[in-house]
């Protein structure tokens, strides 16, 4: 706690004690009969106690925190007037009432008169101290260090002068005059620094004038009171006491008067300052709308209200060109839609529809005169950016020469800020929409990832190794396995046209169709008819997809049903990539070139004609490579495709290896081929190698 705050804590009780001492001294001075044994105290003692009381009150007020809160200057004056000012004035009035009663009832004891008088002295000094430091808060508002030092000297000189007035012996006239003159000049200089007045609007300035007048009136009442009571026969007090009080009242009233004059002479300029202040606030509100993520309609309404208020338009309308089917197309203020439409038609005829336009004499303009409008001035301010036109703002005033170039400049600032706000909002909405899409893609990617089998079929009859990588967040490739009774395994691989969430959705559909159609048929006549052959599956899948695929969408797929008990497989190709196969007996690698049309391309019963089954008996050591087009269509820096031939050569080099090693060799060669190039399509690769030894292990 600072020294001043510490001193404030004990100054208040010290001031109360000194006032009690002043009351006792005054009572004994005026009524010595109250304490015959003590006698009449000397006048210097009474004045000394009063000086101590005054110093304690001023020091206590000086040590208090600044009473000014932010820019609440009116609040500071209001607290001064309706606080100690009103209380002290009421006490004076009560004293005057007491004196009136005394005049009507002469027998009344004068003791009450003396007590009230001393109470008023205490309240008056408190009022003076509060007024002094309220003025200090106002005068030193955003002041320089130099002015604050001058104030401290002025405060010290004022205190010395006031306390000196309590000295019974008068100083030489010339010294007194020089002292008071210097104090007055310094006070005038300090009082000329009233920056706080510039921060008041017109209403606040009027309030400040009234409150400062209240302070002057309160000081005047006190001065009249002390001047009148010093000759009262009931009161016996030293003459310097009255001189001290009157001098205090004079200085307080003087500074109140200076502040009043500054405020009063600033009243005519209040409108200009308010207009500038409103312009700044309107710009701030428009800027804040961007940060608050408001809608374009709210920004337009804010522009409209701010423009009318700032340029003080008598009528206005806003025309907004909507491109997103928004219901808000503008609004009108004190002008009918018919009048607005007539003005717009006229401006269009003159090719002035969407350019800045100022006309301060509509009555003498031939076209506007024919419209018989009750307005004399018009401003048209378009809302446009380098990319597009957003609309136009129209301001009207009844009087001629109602607008000036400054109004035009203000509206230019408002409309440019509004267009910037609208475009920022559009960017923000696009960004939010993009974030939503990204979130949806993440969910779709997670869903798609869950559709890819994590556990590959394990059996001593074959080896399977797989690889799948999407080119974007969500791909369209898929594969799946399903064990069938009778030592059979169904393998499905496919590719959905397109990418993104829609492709992921169709992958999920295809997986559901695969599991639904590959269910055992209880009405089957034999073991082989319990499950559809690949061509039948493709026909049924095409029929199911015809109801849910978009017109432009299709799916390529291949279904293999491997019967590893009998060493053969059957497959059908629905527009998918050719199957690469290594024949261990022939020791050659080749592709199965079979016919087949993609699912969803033909959506009727004729589709089944385009799908064929192909049967093949495999041998131990045979290798089957199935893949999607992202593998063979991968490109190098020269734009060349990886191709089926290079894939075939890779299998020729690696057929004797394990399925997982064959897959890694192919992928390594693919990466080396397309190094540094982006992946344009999803890549899926399955390698199935039939083993040479097939022990009898139960499934």
């Amino acid at each position: 706690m600072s020294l001043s705050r510490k001193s404030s804590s004990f100054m208040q009780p010290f001031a109360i004690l000194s006032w009690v001492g002043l009351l006792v001294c005054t009572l004994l001075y005026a009524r010595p009969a109250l304490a015959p044994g003590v006698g009449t105290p000397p006048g210097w003692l009474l004045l000394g106690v009063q000086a101590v009381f005054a110093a304690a009150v001023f020091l206590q007020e000086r040590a208090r925190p600044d009473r000014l809160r932010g820019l609440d200057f009116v609040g500071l004056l209001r607290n001064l007037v309706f606080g100690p000012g009103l209380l002290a004035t009421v006490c004076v009035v009560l004293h005057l009432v007491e004196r009136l009663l005394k005049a009507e009832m002469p027998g009344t004891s004068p003791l009450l008169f003396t007590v009230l008088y001393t109470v008023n002295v205490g309240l008056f000094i408190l009022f003076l101290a509060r007024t002094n430091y309220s003025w200090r808060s106002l005068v030193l508002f955003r002041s320089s260090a130099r002015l604050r030092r001058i104030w401290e000297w002025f405060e010290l000189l004022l205190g010395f002068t006031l306390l000196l007035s309590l000295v019974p012996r008068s100083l030489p006239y010339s010294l007194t005059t020089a002292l008071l003159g210097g104090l007055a000049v310094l006070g005038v200089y300090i009082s000329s620094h009233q920056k706080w007045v510039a921060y008041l609007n017109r209403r606040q300035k009027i309030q400040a004038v009234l409150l400062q007048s209240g302070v002057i009136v309160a000081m005047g009442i006190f001065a009249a009171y002390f001047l009148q009571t010093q000759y009262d026969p009931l009161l016996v007090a030293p003459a310097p006491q009255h001189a001290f009080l009157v001098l205090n009242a004079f200085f307080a009233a003087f500074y109140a008067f200076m502040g009043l004059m500054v405020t009063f002479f600033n009243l005519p300029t209040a409108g200009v300052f308010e207009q500038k202040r409103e312009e700044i606030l309107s710009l701030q509100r428009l800027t804040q709308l961007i940060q608050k993520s408001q809608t374009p309609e709210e920004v337009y309404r804010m522009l409209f209200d701010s423009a009318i208020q700032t340029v003080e338009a008598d009528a206005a309308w806003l025309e907004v060109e909507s491109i997103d089917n928004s219901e808000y197309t503008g609004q009108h203020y004190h002008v009918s839609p018919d009048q607005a439409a007539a003005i717009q038609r006229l401006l269009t005829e003159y090719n002035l529809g969407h350019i800045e336009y100022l006309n301060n004499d509509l009555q003498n303009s031939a076209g506007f005169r024919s419209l018989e409008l009750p307005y004399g001035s018009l401003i048209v301010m378009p809302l446009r950016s380098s990319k597009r036109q957003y609309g136009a703002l129209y301001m009207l005033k009844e009087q001629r020469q109602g607008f000036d170039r400054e109004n035009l400049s203000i509206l230019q600032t408002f409309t440019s800020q509004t267009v910037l706000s609208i475009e920022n909002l559009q960017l923000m909405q696009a960004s939010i929409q993009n974030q939503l899409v990204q979130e949806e893609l993440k969910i779709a990617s997670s869903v798609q990832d869950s559709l890819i089998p994590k556990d590959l079929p394990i059996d001593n009859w074959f080896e399977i190794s797989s690889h799948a990588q999407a080119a974007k967040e969500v791909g369209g490739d898929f594969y799946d396995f399903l064990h069938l009774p009778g030592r059979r395994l169904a393998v499905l691989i496919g590719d959905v046209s397109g990418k993104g969430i829609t492709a992921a959705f169709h992958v999920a559909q295809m997986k559901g169709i695969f599991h639904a159609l590959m269910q055992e048929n209880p009405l089957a006549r034999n073991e082989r008819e319990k499950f559809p052959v690949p061509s039948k599956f493709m026909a049924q899948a095409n029929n199911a997809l015809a109801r849910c695929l978009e017109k432009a969408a299709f799916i390529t797929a291949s279904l293999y049903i491997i019967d590893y008990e009998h060493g053969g497989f059957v497959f059908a190709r629905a527009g998918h990539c050719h199957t690469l196969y290594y024949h261990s007996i022939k020791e050659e690698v080749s592709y199965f070139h079979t016919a087949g049309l993609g699912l969803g391309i033909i959506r009727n019963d004729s589709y089944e004609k385009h799908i064929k089954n192909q049967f093949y008996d495999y041998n131990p050591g045979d290798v089957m490579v199935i893949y999607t087009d992202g593998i063979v269509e991968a490109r190098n820096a020269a734009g060349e495709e990886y191709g089926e031939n290079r894939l075939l050569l890779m299998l020729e080099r690696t057929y004797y290896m394990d399925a997982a090693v064959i897959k890694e060799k192919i992928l390594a060669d693919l990466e080396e081929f397309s190094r540094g190039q982006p992946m344009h399509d999803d890549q899926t690769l399955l390698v199935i190698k039939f083993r040479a030894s097939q022990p009898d292990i139960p499934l």
Side-chain angles (χ1 to χ4, degrees), residues 77 204-214 260 263-264 267:
L77 293 172
Q204 290 172 329
K205 284 179 179 175
I206 293 174
Q207 291 177 342
V209 167
L210 295 175
L211 291 171
Q212 289 176 104
S213 299
L260 174 65
T263 310
F264 185 78
L267 274 177

Side-chain angles (χ1 to χ4, degrees), residues 573-601:
R573 186 178 74 90
H576 199 69
C577 299
H578 298 297
T579 303
L580 180 62
Y581 198 83
Y582 169 70
H583 307 259
S584 60
I585 301 298
K586 299 179 182 179
E587 294 185 347
E588 67 177 19
V589 178
S590 62
Y591 283 97
F592 290 136
H593 289 282
T594 57
L597 193 63
L599 301 169
I601 296 176

Side-chain angles (χ1 to χ4, degrees), residues 274 403 583:
E274 283 182 41
F403 297 113
H583 307 259

